Amino acid sequence: MFDTEKVYDDNAKKWLRLVPSSLSDFTARPFVFEACGDVTGKAVLDIGCGEGYCARELKRRGAGDYLGIDLSSQMIDAAKIQEQQDQYGIDYQAGHVTEFVPTRHYDLCIAVFLFNYLRVEEMQQVFAMVYDALAPGGEFIFSVPHPLFPFMQKQKAAPFYFDAIDKNYFTSVNEQLEGEIWKQNGEPLHVQCVHKTFTDYFDSLSSAGFNTMPVVKELTVTPALVEQDEPFFGPLLHQPLHVLFKLSK
Ligand SMILES: C[S@@+](CC[C@H](N)C(=O)[O-])C[C@H]1O[C@@H](n2cnc3c(N)ncnc32)[C@H](O)[C@@H]1O
């Protein structure tokens, strides 16, 4: 089993993206940004911010105070170096999200492919932290791998897979699956998925205090993407790739 902090420390340079490059920059992140709506002046907490890809985009869209936190000090260093050039006014902090204690309220919290690195108990703890950190009416938007994806896409091949050989949708909860997601230039990025079922997401949200109906979007490769670049997107047309959740406090 690979250590998450080391995986990201070792690959921070490959992750730094200034334009959409990895598969999920086309299939997931645009929908996260759309779900965020008008972010003008909003205080944003970005947990598992990586090298700041989403932070920079939300700042370009007018976000206000912005704090990004990430486990990997190398990803945070890459984010800070880019911030020195951009001067968007983004604060970045290295640290484990389960140890993060918010000192203010936020209008929006995003977590873009963070929870696939946490066990169910850790995710539930972070959901509770987010619930406390949000101002009344604040929104929480996160994306995760679709829980069924590792079990439906069994080939270990580009542009995205998780190795779920000998795993089971119900009994493999909290087991870590190793995978890769490709960039459009043909470069693979190592990713991991601590498996959870849909029930785990809904139960954990509810016990953290999120008790109104969430917006849930199942994301896939669309025919329009295949038209843009058939060799890259074609193998995953109509596969259930990611899920986006949007909640309000
Ligand atoms: C797939 S990357 C996504 C980064 C960024 N959100 C984006 O969309 O580009 C997942 C990130 O989660 C971070 N991460 C994993 N476990 C974490 C934890 N326990 N606390 C904070 N960050 C964590 C990793 O270091 C990595 O940067």
Side-chain angles (χ1 to χ4, degrees):
M1 191 152 72
F2 292 87
D3 173 66
T4 303
E5 189 172 356
K6 184 163 166 41
V7 165
Y8 281 95
D9 277 349
D10 290 351
N11 292 295
K13 285 205 177 71
K14 278 208 257 171
W15 272 96
L16 181 66
R17 290 126 45 239
L18 301 178
V19 291
S21 331
S22 95
L23 175 77
S24 49
D25 293 340
F26 300 93
T27 51
R29 290 181 184 83
F31 300 93
V32 170
F33 301 141
E34 188 185 304
C36 290
D38 181 1
V39 292
T40 310
K42 286 193 176 171
V44 183
L45 174 64
D46 181 346
I47 48 179
C49 64
E51 46 68 50
Y53 181 90
C54 300
R56 292 188 292 275
E57 180 58 28
L58 291 184
K59 267 293 187 181
R60 285 191 285 270
R61 292 172 183 234
D65 294 350
Y66 203 108
L67 175 62
I69 68 163
D70 199 277
L71 176 66
S72 158
S73 55
Q74 295 299 312
M75 294 289 265
I76 290 293
D77 285 351
K80 284 182 175 168
I81 289 169
Q82 190 57 39
E83 169 63 14
Q84 275 170 8
Q85 288 185 34
D86 299 331
Q87 300 282 318
Y88 282 131
I90 306 168
D91 286 330
Y92 290 108
Q93 271 177 32
H96 201 297
V97 66
T98 55
E99 285 158 20
F100 175 70
V101 181
T103 53
R104 58 165 293 175
H105 282 116
Y106 295 89
D107 304 307
L108 172 66
C109 174
I110 65 164
V112 179
F113 300 115
L114 165 72
F115 295 114
N116 42 303
Y117 293 90
L118 304 187
R119 297 171 58 79
V120 174
E121 315 77 70
E122 293 174 313
M123 176 174 80
Q124 194 175 318
Q125 188 188 331
V126 174
F127 283 171
M129 178 279 286
V130 171
Y131 190 82
D132 287 343
L134 286 176
E139 288 179 327
F140 179 30
I141 295 168
F142 65 93
S143 60
V144 289
H146 195 295
L148 286 171
F149 174 65
F151 303 94
M152 292 184 71
Q153 179 59 31
K154 294 206 158 150
Q155 276 178 317
K156 289 174 70 175
F160 185 27
Y161 74 88
F162 288 110
D163 184 352
I165 299 286
D166 299 331
K167 307 288 181 195
N168 174 279
Y169 181 79
F170 287 107
T171 60
S172 296
V173 167
N174 278 340
E175 288 183 36
Q176 183 165 301
L177 315 179
E178 304 295 330
E180 289 177 289
I181 194 163
W182 268 257
K183 295 206 283 191
Q184 219 173 0
N185 66 5
E187 192 173 34
L189 296 162
H190 183 167
V191 286
Q192 299 169 314
C193 182
V194 178
H195 176 60
K196 295 162 199 79
T197 63
F198 266 110
T199 306
D200 295 320
Y201 288 107
F202 286 101
D203 284 354
S204 301
L205 284 167
S206 162
S207 57
F210 289 104
N211 283 315
T212 55
M213 182 83 107
V215 173
V216 176
K217 291 207 182 305
E218 298 179 270
L219 303 174
T220 184
V221 166
T222 58
L225 284 173
V226 175
E227 239 172 71
Q228 271 179 39
D229 184 346
E230 204 285 328
F232 184 60
F233 295 109
L236 293 180
L237 178 67
H238 299 324
Q239 286 289 317
L241 298 186
H242 329 283
V243 187
L244 181 153
F245 289 84
K246 176 172 176 175
L247 298 116
S248 303
K249 178 165 173 179

